[in-house]
Amino acid sequence: MKKPAYLTEETLKTFILSALNEDLQGGDHSTLATIPENLIQKKQCLLKEDCVVAGIELAEMIFKTLDPSIKVDVLIPDGKTAKAGDIAFIVRGKAQSIMQAERLVLNCMQRMSGIATLTQEWDSRLVGTKTRLLDTRKTTPNFRVCEKWAVAIGGGTNHRNGLSDMIVLEDLHIDHNGSLTKAVKKAKDYLKKNKLNLKISVKTRNLSEVEEALKAKVDRITLNHTDLSFIKKAVTLINGKIETEASGDLTRDQLKDLAATGVGFISAGGLTQCAKTIAIDLESIE
């Protein structure tokens, strides 16, 4: 799978170093005090639940960041469906290093696999349609890069990564400026003044605002509504001229009906907010 644009080597390295520092700080004194420096250990990553595996590539990066001499033999790559009892990878190296990286590896894999599994379940309901499933910014602080990566591994599509990636005009932006038209004009003037090339998306609450957004020539119209009748009317009115997105406390049970309206994207915060953690463990095999 091609990595999303935000998954740069620098971004991942920053995350890994920060997370390792949070856990290790002054040192893993329990391990340093009782485990010989030259002891070599071999462990297997055991999946205890059926899931879509995610976080394998990250796990290898974590091990290698802590100790480049560690060897990881990947048996199940990211994005593959696995069964309880399957072995995702085998890791071999200094026992001290493996033990110091183990909890971070498991925390990331358990969370990411849960998100990837839920995303695939939601996305499977859109098979045969042209509608794509989006995540949101409703993510865990300082763990967004991994959660969005997990969505992509599960077959979903990433929305903007942060506030600087796209202009999204919501109710407050629109109401403060008196109208959607005025808010869009200010956004376009701002982009021109600052020489920025960003898409403009607007959230609409009624058909009148949809018509305004069409005239304002924005890049995407978000239908911030759960009323299927409204969404269908809005999509018909837009008629493919501009990207469309359905948003607003949507559930997996609504996905097929929403896709049937012809909407281009469905964004769901539940992909990262409601995913359960998958049980995964590292077990010694030597």
Side-chain angles (χ1 to χ4, degrees):
M1 185 197 78
K2 183 180 179 181
K3 285 185 183 179
Y6 58 83
L7 281 174
T8 64
E9 183 177 347
E10 182 181 359
T11 297
L12 290 172
K13 184 177 180 180
T14 298
F15 164 73
I16 292 171
L17 290 175
S18 175
L20 285 172
N21 182 64
E22 177 186 50
D23 205 24
L24 291 171
Q25 296 189 38
D28 175 9
H29 302 302
S30 304
T31 297
L32 294 173
T34 60
I35 303 299
E37 184 179 358
N38 61 351
L39 179 65
I40 300 300
Q41 186 180 41
K42 189 176 182 181
K43 284 193 169 187
Q44 62 184 14
C45 179
L46 175 66
L47 305 174
K48 294 188 172 182
E49 298 179 64
D50 295 354
C51 66
V52 175
V53 179
I56 297 293
E57 187 174 349
L58 178 62
E60 188 170 6
M61 292 175 68
I62 292 170
F63 281 125
K64 294 288 188 179
T65 297
L66 194 86
D67 184 348
S69 69
I70 289 178
K71 305 296 182 183
V72 180
D73 182 14
V74 176
L75 304 179
I76 304 176
D78 287 324
K80 294 295 184 181
T81 300
K83 298 290 186 181
D86 285 348
I87 306 301
F89 66 78
I90 294 173
V91 59
R92 186 178 189 279
K94 292 182 178 179
Q96 286 188 354
S97 300
I98 292 175
M99 293 183 73
Q100 288 164 2
E102 179 174 331
R103 178 43 53 195
L104 176 57
V105 165
L106 290 175
N107 285 345
C108 291
M109 284 191 62
Q110 289 168 346
R111 177 74 177 138
M112 289 178 69
S113 295
I115 292 172
T117 301
L118 182 61
T119 299
Q120 187 184 78
E121 181 186 338
W122 281 48
D123 195 54
S124 66
R125 302 185 183 214
L126 300 177
V127 172
T129 75
K130 294 182 179 180
T131 305
R132 288 191 285 170
L133 185 64
L134 296 175
D135 56 20
T136 69
R137 286 171 44 246
K138 294 178 181 178
T139 54
T140 307
N142 297 322
F143 197 58
R144 177 178 298 175
V145 63
C146 298
E147 291 179 339
K148 281 184 167 283
W149 191 0
V151 168
I153 290 171
T157 301
N158 295 136
H159 207 312
R160 59 176 176 163
N161 189 48
L163 292 171
S164 64
D165 299 343
M166 185 180 191
I167 285 188
V168 177
L169 301 178
E170 305 193 42
D171 296 354
L172 181 61
H173 303 114
I174 293 167
D175 294 342
H176 179 74
N177 285 280
S179 72
L180 184 149
T181 302
K182 291 179 180 178
V184 171
K185 184 180 184 306
K186 279 197 172 182
K188 288 185 175 182
D189 290 344
Y190 173 87
L191 292 177
K192 184 177 180 180
K193 178 182 177 181
N194 291 280
K195 298 179 180 180
L196 296 171
N197 182 26
L198 299 176
K199 285 188 174 183
I200 297 177
S201 173
V202 293
K203 290 194 174 182
T204 57
R205 297 163 284 191
N206 50 59
L207 290 177
S208 177
E209 288 188 340
V210 171
E211 290 176 345
E212 270 194 86
L214 275 168
K215 292 177 182 177
K217 297 181 179 179
V218 297
D219 298 290
R220 183 181 298 175
I221 296 176
T222 298
L223 308 168
N224 198 26
H225 221 289
T226 56
D227 183 346
L228 286 173
S229 176
F230 165 74
I231 294 175
K232 189 171 182 178
K233 288 177 181 178
V235 171
T236 300
L237 179 62
I238 296 165
N239 194 28
K241 297 174 184 177
I242 292 173
E243 290 181 350
T244 54
E245 175 187 338
S247 176
D249 297 322
L250 307 175
T251 67
R252 76 184 81 182
D253 293 332
Q254 297 173 299
L255 292 175
K256 287 185 178 180
D257 290 334
L258 283 167
T261 67
V263 70
F265 298 94
I266 297 174
S267 57
L271 297 179
T272 48
Q273 287 190 313
C274 301
K276 70 181 289 293
T277 298
I278 299 296
I280 302 173
D281 204 0
L282 277 181
E283 296 185 345
S284 296
I285 52 177
E286 280 188 1

